[in-house]
Amino acid sequence: AILAMNLADMIVKNCPRFRLTMNTKLFSNGLVKTLPKHIRNPQGRKFHTMQDDGNPAKVERISKTLLLIQQWAGGVGHHWKQAYEDLKLKNCQFPVPHKD
């Protein structure tokens, strides 16, 4: 899953026309649904950090997913912006973006 997300991110960064393909509600919602429910909809629950899961591979996948949603909301299209806004409204916690 991490390799597929890295590939999609590289294509988005290097092929601007591909952004039209990526900007679909089906794709943005599909990626959001890969997040565990306690991450994507923490309302009404005690906040869990990603480290609470204890599995480093799972933490890396969740972190990468959230970072991509956050990055793509700023430039890929309105479906990604909507997905990001929806997660923020539900008090989803996003990791601090890395400096490239």
Side-chain angles (χ1 to χ4, degrees):
I2 291 288
L3 294 176
M5 286 188 280
N6 286 336
L7 177 62
D9 190 37
M10 292 295 231
I11 292 171
V12 164
K13 288 178 180 174
N14 294 303
C15 302
R17 288 190 208 166
F18 189 70
R19 292 177 184 176
L20 294 173
T21 304
M22 295 281 290
N23 187 31
T24 66
K25 191 171 188 172
L26 181 67
F27 192 38
S28 62
N29 286 347
L31 191 60
V32 169
K33 287 181 180 178
T34 67
L35 294 168
K37 191 166 186 163
H38 73 275
I39 298 290
R40 65 183 146 108
N41 192 9
Q43 282 186 328
R45 295 190 183 106
K46 180 182 169 222
F47 176 71
H48 296 277
T49 66
M50 287 185 286
Q51 278 69 31
D52 289 345
D53 291 327
N55 180 340
K58 185 175 180 182
V59 170
E60 181 184 8
R61 182 186 56 78
I62 293 168
S63 180
K64 181 68 175 178
T65 302
L66 290 170
L67 285 169
L68 288 178
I69 292 169
Q70 187 176 36
Q71 288 173 359
W72 293 348
V76 173
H78 68 280
H79 289 295
W80 292 100
K81 186 172 178 83
Q82 186 64 49
Y84 175 72
E85 297 288 330
D86 289 347
L87 288 170
K88 290 295 278 184
L89 284 173
K90 293 176 182 176
N91 295 321
C92 180
Q93 301 293 314
F94 285 83
V96 177
H98 302 293
K99 302 288 183 200
D100 285 336

